[in-house]
Structures are given as C-alpha cells and as structure tokens.
C-alpha cells in the first residue's frame, strides 16, 4: 500500500531493480504477517556471572512465513526500517512483550526485566507516550521492561535524543546500549546519555581469549563501563573459555548459546521455573 513504481525505477540497473522488487515483496508480506499473526517473540536469557542465575532476557523477533519458513530478522528488519513499517512492527513487539509479561506475572512467575530492541526510527517524541500506554494497557511495571538501542542513535541530534531518553528513564524504563564497540562512542560522549547497561558486541567476544585485539577492546569496554557505573553484558558467548575471560574482566552478565539460544516463551518460562543456573 502507498508504494508506486516510479518511472525512475526504469533507469536502475537490473540488480537494483531486483533488490527493489525483493524489498517491495518483503514489505507487502510483512504487512500480511502482522495481520495474520505470523510474528512471534523468542526470548534469550541473560545470566549473572556472579550468581549464575537468569537476571533478564532479550526479546527477539521471529517471522514464521507460511511458505518460506522462519525468516531471520537480519533480513526483514532492514526492509522494515527502510519502508517505515518498523513503527508498526516495533509497536507490535512492545505490545506482545507487555502482554507476555502480564501473562507470566498472572501465573505467579517472578520475572526479571525483559529487553526489547528499538530501531532508531522508533525513537521519536511520541515514544514515551506509546510506551506509557502499552505498559498501562497490560498493567506492567516499567521496571519489567528494558529498551535496547544502538549507537547510531547517539550521533543523531543529541539534544532531542537525550530529552527523550530522560523522559523514558524518569518513567522507570532502563536503557541498554546494544552492539557496543561497533560505532564511535567515546567515554566523554557516552557520559551525556542516561544509559544503565552496555552490551559488548559479539564481534569482540568471538575472539576471546585468543585474539589480542579483541581482548584489549573487551577490557577497555569493561573498564569504561565500570567508570560510568554501568552494567555490562557480553553478547554471543559460546564457550567456557570466553565466559572465564569475561568473568575475570569483571563483566556482569552473559548472553549467548553457551547458556541458551533464543527460545519460544514456554521454553523460557520453563527455564525460569526450574531456576536454571549457569
Ligand atoms: P541483536 O540485537 O544484536 O541480537 C542478538 C543476536 O545475536 C540475535 O540474532 C541472537 O539470536 C544472536 N545470538 C545470541 N547469542 C548468540 C551466540 O552465542 N552466537 C551467535 N552466533 N549468535 C547469537 P537474531 O535474533 O537473528 O537478531 C538479529 C538482529 O535483528 C538483532 O541483533 C537486532 O538488531 C534485530 N532484531 C531482532 N528483533 C528485533 C526487534 O524486535 N526489533 C528491532 N528493531 N530489531 C530486532
Ligand atoms: Ca539487542
Ligand atoms: Ca546486540
Ligand atoms: Ca549484534
């Protein structure tokens, strides 16, 4: 809907033409997916390196396409961002996370905070209001939700972004900076933003403890986070060696296949009930 083939498209190279068509196809199918309930949230536990207990989870979007099967968010999120559909998608994610948290709390589960990913485009003046409404609709306490944002947001119009962040934090929502280390944030720069958690990108965890550069980067990030009194989460932890190194560095939490892949809600619920430990 709303997309017309412009005459300019005629001048695209065949490859660009194909890509544009692919995007249009994904966009229209994604609209159907929202309407037809093909979207689902998976949950990946975050584990404390001190206690070994589950202290949070990240909600990750999954698309069960009726023909193509499971489509990776790496494929459809970028399309949704380009087309603007990310707003609807993002609203669905927040709504679904709140609904699920309410259901779990009604079933007497003690819930750690659940993090949802936000695209930069969702980060507008209306965001605090939209969050407040979703929380209210499901009677979910703001401390049950954490928002994961990326560095690209920090370089964009800092004043407005800081104002929106402050509003969210004042409401009781915590902010985590995702994929840290892949962008350009310096210590001085980071200090300006009310961010409580840094997530070290998997790109630097992969090489631990053998790649010297990755070790140096991980060490620098942890030291910086400690200076800023931020919690630090390492993403993509797959081996005991990586875990041991990160624990010795003073990293707070671990997320990765070593503990668990992202899993459907009922599997995450079972892990919580069983009090599964690292
Ligand atoms: P991300 O936010 O950095 O999420 C972490 C990704 O790493 C997830 O991929 C997760 O499945 C994967 N992962 C976790 N542990 C490991 C590990 O030990 N090894 C490896 N190899 N991978 C691991 P996923 O679920 O495919 O999501 C990809 C990206 O799509 C996310 O990266 C995020 O940027 C985006 N995304 C997912 N859900 C949403 C959403 O609801 N909203 C928005 N805006 N973006 C989302
Ligand atoms: Ca994330
Ligand atoms: Ca990440
Ligand atoms: Ca990442």
């Amino acid at each position: 809907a709303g997309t017309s083939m412009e005459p300019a498209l005629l001048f695209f190279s065949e490859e660009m033409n194909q890509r544009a068509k692919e995007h249009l196809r994904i966009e229209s199918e994604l609209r159907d997916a929202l309407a037809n309930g093909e979207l689902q949230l998976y949950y990946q536990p975050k584990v404390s390196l001190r206690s070994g207990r589950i202290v949070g989870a990240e909600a990750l979007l999954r698309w069960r396409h009726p023909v193509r099967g499971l489509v990776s968010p790496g494929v459809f999120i970028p399309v949704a961002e380009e087309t603007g559909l990310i707003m609807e998608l993002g609203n669905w994610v927040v709504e679904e996370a709140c609904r699920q948290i309410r259901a779990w709390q009604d079933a007497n589960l003690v819930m750690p905070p659940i993090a949802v990913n936000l695209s930069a485009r969702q980060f507008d003046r209306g965001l605090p209001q939209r969050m407040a409404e979703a929380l209210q609709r499901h009677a979910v306490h703001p401390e049950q939700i954490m928002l994961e944002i990326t560095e690209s947001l920090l370089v964009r119009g800092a004043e407005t972004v800081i104002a929106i962040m402050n509003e969210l934090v004042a409401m009781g929502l915590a902010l985590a900076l995702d994929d840290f280390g892949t962008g350009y944030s310096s210590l001085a720069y980071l200090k300006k933003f009310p961010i409580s958690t840094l997530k070290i990108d998997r790109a630097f965890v992969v090489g631990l403890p053998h790649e010297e550069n990755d070790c140096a980067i991980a060490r620098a990030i942890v030291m910086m986070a400690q200076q800023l009194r931020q919690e630090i989460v390492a993403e993509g932890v797959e081996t005991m060696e990586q875990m041991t190194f990160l624990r010795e560095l003073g990293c707070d939490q671990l997320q990765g296949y070593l503990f668990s892949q992202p899993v459907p809600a009922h599997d995450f619920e079972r892990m919580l009930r069983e009090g599964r430990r690292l």
Side-chain angles (χ1 to χ4, degrees), residues 41 44 58-62 72-74 77 81 86 93 117-119 122 148 178-179 202 235-238 255-257 262:
L41 287 182
Q44 187 178 36
E58 175 175 7
L60 292 155
L61 201 47
R62 294 292 179 261
S72 158
I77 294 282
E81 284 175 339
I86 193 68
V93 169
N117 290 282
L118 289 188
S119 289
Q122 291 173 259
E148 295 195 3
D178 206 356
D179 300 344
R202 181 163 67 85
E235 319 188 288
V237 180
E238 295 183 356
Q255 183 183 343
Y257 296 170

Side-chain angles (χ1 to χ4, degrees), residues 186-202:
S186 64
L187 177 62
Y189 198 65
L190 261 190
K191 245 180 16 187
K192 299 199 298 185
F193 300 90
I195 289 163
S196 58
T197 303
L198 287 188
K199 298 188 76 179
I200 307 180
D201 194 71
R202 181 163 67 85

